[in-house]
Amino acid sequence: AQKITQTQPGMFVQEKEAVTLDCTYDTSDPSYGLFWYKQPSSGEMIFLIYQGSYDQQNATEGRYSLNFQKARKSANLVISASQLGDSAMYFCAMREGAGAGSYQLTFGKGTKLSVIP
Amino acid sequence: DSGVTQTPKHLITATGQRVTLRCSPRSGDLSVYWYQQSLDQGLQFLIQYYNGEERAKGNILERFSAQQFPDLHSELNLSSLELGDSALYFCASSRTLGGLNTEAFFGQGTRLTVV
């Protein structure tokens, strides 16, 4: 089974509008961390935001916020006031508790966001 | 700029050949991860080193090997290359072994094309 599922291969959003990118995850570990990365066409991976499984509040970083719904196992990324520079691939990723012996990030397939002027 | 340096940026080689990809982590980072990004498989974790020792292994083929040197730079060796090995190879580094909230900083990647 997929550990990270991003169901939207591609999304369009009008400049200055908000957009939500979906991410659901699957783990039986009570301790885990969720990450979002941005990959522009130039190829580099840019860290955006982090949410821990025990965090009570949704994470926010500037125009990025994470809508964390633990019971539904979803960690959607919300980008407010979209800009042309937000056009990129967006990846959701998970790191499970160290007790599982896993230190690496498991990534979803990504969502390609295109911002329309 | 993440502070993680990968060389070369692009590499074109023939099937059956062997290549070495190099990664210099951010200053002070002890942990290095290697990932492969291909169109069909997405981003896959290959291997992790921490302070010179292998710590975790993912979907790494036997034809691939890696090491981390005393100065903490790492090399990923790919041998007997096949067309399917064409991909973007990322190196990432983090300060510690990898707590839950440890951010991994990615390099710009090495784009390998096998012809």
Side-chain angles (χ1 to χ4, degrees):
Chain A
Q2 291 272 352
K3 288 209 168 188
I4 298 286
T5 302
Q6 295 180 254
T7 56
Q8 307 151 312
M11 290 274 290
F12 290 90
V13 64
Q14 205 75 37
E15 195 178 5
K16 298 179 187 175
E17 297 290 312
V19 64
T20 298
L21 307 184
D22 294 342
C23 171
T24 57
Y25 58 91
D26 181 26
T27 181
S28 56
D29 196 322
S31 300
Y32 53 89
L34 297 158
F35 299 76
W36 277 91
Y37 282 84
K38 172 184 178 181
Q39 186 178 37
S41 57
S42 51
E44 73 268 31
M45 296 287 286
I46 302 167
F47 166 76
L48 296 178
I49 197 167
Y50 165 82
Q51 179 85 41
S53 59
Y54 295 116
D55 293 344
Q56 295 296 314
Q57 301 209 330
N58 287 342
T60 59
E61 289 285 348
R63 293 187 299 111
Y64 304 108
S65 61
L66 202 151
N67 184 359
F68 181 46
Q69 297 186 47
K70 195 169 181 176
R72 298 178 64 181
K73 293 189 174 179
S74 76
N76 298 338
L77 176 70
V78 180
I79 306 174
S80 62
S82 296
Q83 302 171 357
L84 295 178
D86 293 334
S87 294
M89 282 290 288
Y90 288 81
F91 292 94
C92 179
M94 178 172 64
R95 174 181 283 130
E96 293 168 283
S102 300
Y103 301 101
Q104 73 272 20
L105 292 167
T106 302
F107 286 86
K109 296 278 187 196
T111 294
K112 184 171 182 178
L113 178 66
S114 300
V115 180
I116 306 165
Chain B
D1 184 359
S2 67
V4 179
T5 304
Q6 288 188 248
T7 56
K9 287 192 168 42
H10 302 275
L11 197 48
I12 302 175
T13 190
T15 53
Q17 295 298 305
R18 173 190 168 94
V19 297
T20 298
L21 312 183
R22 183 189 168 101
C23 169
S24 294
R26 288 188 322 154
S27 177
D29 284 2
L30 299 177
S31 199
V32 169
Y33 310 76
W34 285 98
Y35 289 85
Q36 178 195 58
Q37 186 180 28
S38 60
L39 281 173
D40 52 345
Q41 297 290 329
L43 266 158
Q44 300 254 321
F45 168 71
L46 296 178
I47 197 163
Q48 178 196 10
Y49 278 82
Y50 177 76
N51 205 19
E53 294 195 4
E54 182 185 306
R55 289 303 301 223
K57 224 169 184 176
N59 299 320
I60 187 166
L61 299 172
E62 285 191 12
R63 300 184 284 108
F64 297 180
S65 65
Q67 52 185 327
Q68 186 179 27
F69 294 87
D71 67 352
L72 300 178
H73 92 271
S74 178
E75 292 180 357
L76 179 67
N77 300 296
L78 315 176
S79 61
S80 303
L81 284 166
E82 302 174 359
L83 295 177
D85 297 327
S86 295
L88 187 55
Y89 290 84
F90 282 108
C91 167
S93 73
S94 61
R95 191 77 57 188
T96 62
L97 195 58
L100 283 178
N101 65 343
T102 300
E103 179 187 342
F105 293 87
F106 281 76
Q108 294 213 317
T110 293
R111 185 166 295 282
L112 173 67
T113 303
V114 182
V115 297

